[in-house]
Amino acid sequence: MNQHARIETQIPFIDVAAQRRRLGTRIDDAVRRVMDHCLFVNGPEVAELERQLAAFCGARHAIGVASGTDALVLVLMAKGIGRGDAVICPSFTYAASPEAVALVGATPVFAEVAETTFNIDPAGIEGAVAAAKGAGLDPKALMTVDLFGLPADYEAINPVAEKFGLYVIDDAAQGFGADAKGRMIGTLAPVTTTSFFPAKPLGCYGDGGAVFTDDDELADVIRSLRNHGQGTDRYDNVRVGMTGRLDTIQAAVLIEKLRIFPEEIAARERIARRYNAALQDVVRVPHVSNEHSCVWAQYTIRVSDGCRDALAQTLRQQGIPTAQYYPVPAHRQGAYRDYPVAEGGLGVTDRLSGEVISLPMHAYLDEPTQDRVVAAVRGALQK
Ligand SMILES: Cc1ncc(COP(=O)(O)O)c(C=O)c1O
């Protein structure tokens, strides 16, 4: 055996370039068409993408917007949520979820997540409502998050939300493309938002997002709000809005990517199953019930607190990147630590944030590379 340490090539965590190589001139041509017609804002590709996205998930309306964060802000604005109102959301999420709530002047109230799914625990919603009321707030909405690509448990969540009069907003920035009992994300809550950030399962080449709903009136208001509160024409402003539109070039890119999205979801599912089979005896692998599908925005395992950093370091030395989503939950972040937390506390959230570690995951991760990741994880943990 060679006495010198083998130099391993660096594995990308998410390989955006592999997809770019596959799509090649199709994307170049799509962007060139926009360059030719020069309708960079509200061009025909935006309406075409919206039509295709709505057909893809079965929602009546898909509305292209500038980012996943803007999508959330626009929904909250459209629902008139603001000062004095509470929006219940998980703390185990990306900062954008509570950020959107705070941006409209409302108060995020953090609720507990379930140990097995990392998604909001239906049993914890009541404690969050109590905390909101205790703080003198009016609980108006529940922002669920389909973390790592797995839909939250809407069958259990929706009745609880109804009992407490909470409007459900599905933050599906990580979950678009997944389903529950055959119903796609985009139709599981009265309104759904997503992000097309490049690293997302369906990503563009910059910032982008969308809102999905069956509610005609809400869709009209969001279309107006993303365009400076426009009424019948450009210089008729009927409400205070913002610049929240999806660029035509990004829509053109997304139309090409949407064509291969189902194939990519299937590839991600195959990889996750292989990872699960090869790792389930050494770590806690993600659990997906038979009733849900997952788009694997992240493949996240759990290791006992204390050995996570050593695992990350060992893998890094072998050219294998990892990520920790999220090492500090929102309720412990400087920006959000003064907001209320559900009665009973967030013990599961705190534990998960110390144990989760995500492995490389994308549709173009070949089997030898998957095997390299598996061997490195097993080797590191069995020492
Ligand atoms: C759960 C969640 N919500 C919202 C967002 C915000 O999306 P964007 O970056 O497009 O604003 C993200 C992005 O990572 C996210 O993961």
Side-chain angles (χ1 to χ4, degrees):
M1 190 154 146
N2 191 334
Q3 62 182 344
H4 300 293
R6 229 161 35 119
I7 299 174
E8 301 275 19
T9 50
Q10 177 74 27
I11 296 175
F13 187 68
I14 292 175
D15 196 349
V16 177
Q19 188 203 48
R20 169 77 186 105
R21 284 192 296 277
R22 173 182 175 188
L23 288 170
T25 54
R26 276 156 63 177
I27 297 258
D28 300 349
D29 293 346
V31 171
R32 195 169 303 113
R33 283 194 291 277
V34 180
M35 296 300 189
D36 288 345
H37 65 52
C38 289
L39 296 167
F40 299 115
V41 174
N42 292 336
E45 285 81 358
V46 175
E48 176 56 23
L49 174 72
E50 289 175 338
R51 193 190 61 72
Q52 291 189 17
L53 286 172
F56 177 85
C57 71
R60 208 168 141 81
H61 302 277
I63 305 157
V65 297
S67 70
T69 309
D70 278 0
L72 290 170
V73 169
L74 286 162
V75 167
L76 293 163
M77 286 170 76
K79 295 303 291 181
I81 291 171
R83 202 156 301 284
D85 296 333
V87 177
I88 293 162
C89 67
S91 169
F92 197 56
T93 179
Y94 185 56
S97 318
E99 180 182 55
V101 178
L103 276 172
V104 298
T107 302
V109 175
F110 295 112
E112 186 60 294
V113 291
E115 185 99 35
T116 46
T117 62
F118 309 146
N119 283 327
I120 204 149
D121 183 352
I125 295 170
E126 184 162 8
V129 169
K133 288 186 177 158
L137 300 162
D138 184 4
K140 282 271 177 65
L142 172 67
M143 187 183 286
T144 55
V145 176
D146 307 311
L147 205 73
F148 305 148
L150 178 70
D153 185 359
Y154 292 94
E155 223 170 59
I157 288 170
N158 288 338
V160 182
E162 202 178 315
K163 177 176 164 194
F164 293 109
L166 301 169
Y167 182 75
V168 180
I169 302 167
D170 174 6
D171 176 355
Q174 303 181 13
F176 186 66
D179 75 274
K181 288 190 177 168
R183 279 183 61 195
M184 301 291 289
I185 280 187
T187 64
L188 302 177
V191 70
T192 302
T193 62
T194 198
S195 164
F196 300 129
F197 183 79
K200 294 288 187 264
L202 179 63
C204 59
Y205 288 162
D207 282 310
V211 178
F212 303 90
T213 186
D214 286 349
D215 180 336
D216 296 344
E217 202 179 317
L218 179 70
D220 280 351
V221 175
I222 290 171
R223 286 197 178 98
S224 162
L225 284 170
R226 74 173 170 178
N227 223 356
H228 300 289
Q230 184 175 305
T232 48
D233 68 50
R234 245 175 114 180
Y235 299 109
D236 176 34
N237 305 108
V238 294
R239 51 179 69 81
V240 177
M242 60 196 258
T243 310
R245 302 165 297 231
L246 179 69
D247 284 359
T248 312
I249 287 178
Q250 300 304 343
V253 167
L254 284 162
I255 288 171
E256 296 310 314
K257 291 197 179 202
L258 190 59
R259 289 186 215 283
I260 59 165
F261 190 41
E263 222 181 276
E264 291 186 332
I265 293 172
R268 286 170 179 275
E269 175 63 19
R270 271 195 306 276
I271 296 162
R273 280 176 194 257
R274 271 190 105 240
Y275 271 158
N276 272 5
L279 292 172
Q280 63 193 356
D281 60 327
V282 285
V283 294
R284 287 184 72 170
V285 297
H287 172 76
V288 178
S289 82
N290 293 334
E291 296 181 344
H292 293 102
S293 73
C294 180
V295 285
W296 303 105
Q298 304 297 339
Y299 180 86
T300 303
I301 56 174
R302 285 173 69 185
V303 293
S304 54
D305 198 6
C307 75
R308 180 172 67 174
D309 287 349
L311 173 64
Q313 195 191 350
T314 308
L315 266 58
R316 189 164 46 246
Q317 283 162 352
Q318 297 175 44
I320 301 171
T322 57
Q324 294 172 10
Y325 305 108
Y326 297 91
V328 182
H331 73 289
R332 301 205 179 277
Q333 296 281 354
Y336 302 104
R337 67 165 69 107
D338 293 334
Y339 291 115
V341 159
E343 284 180 356
L346 304 181
V348 176
T349 298
D350 281 329
R351 191 160 58 251
L352 289 175
S353 60
E355 296 181 355
V356 289
I357 179 163
S358 305
L359 303 179
M361 165 56 84
H362 58 84
Y364 302 92
L365 196 68
D366 59 25
E367 290 195 0
T369 312
Q370 295 162 34
D371 293 343
R372 208 178 118 193
V373 175
V374 166
V377 173
R378 295 190 68 90
L381 294 174
Q382 286 175 343
K383 257 185 226 158

